Amino acid sequence: MTQPPSRTRFYLDKRNGKVMGVCAGIADYTGLDVTLVRIMFVSAVLMSGFSVLPLYFVAGFMADDQPRELALEDKEEQRFWQGVRASPTRTARDIRGRLRDIDRRLADIESYVTTENRSLAREIEDLR
């Protein structure tokens, strides 16, 4: 039995990549722009005297390809998962805050509907 693909794991992004998809995968994983990652990689290669280049190929051969079901078309969902990878604690705190806000709004609606509201009762009766 195989495990489902994880959104918090590094994958090669060959759909958006140029050579092996390593820079595109790093960009997807970190949330940085892929052009910026490529510029940083080329700079690192030139500054290291090409000693970083073998690491690129090792990563390209060792890392798994991004599964099709994880290819995100929705930019908001992509930003969400990049935020989860960058700071899971902050993401969990944000989600808790959103759920508290939804819970408060539902409580306000419930309070409005369940209290004695003659105009609302009259409107409901008119609909029948």
Side-chain angles (χ1 to χ4, degrees), residues 70-86:
L70 295 185
L72 303 172
E73 299 298 325
D74 184 17
K75 292 293 183 189
E76 184 177 334
E77 186 176 353
Q78 186 176 17
R79 270 184 266 130
F80 171 78
W81 285 109
Q82 287 169 345
V84 169
R85 288 188 291 265

Side-chain angles (χ1 to χ4, degrees), residues 24-68:
I26 291 170
D28 180 54
Y29 186 78
T30 61
L32 296 172
D33 182 53
V34 69
T35 306
L36 178 63
V37 172
R38 288 178 180 140
I39 290 170
M40 290 187 316
F41 176 72
V42 169
S43 300
V45 167
L46 295 176
M47 287 190 293
S48 71
F50 295 90
S51 64
V52 176
L53 202 55
L55 295 175
Y56 182 91
F57 290 106
V58 168
F61 288 118
M62 302 249 340
D64 295 329
D65 292 345
Q66 184 181 44
R68 289 206 180 278

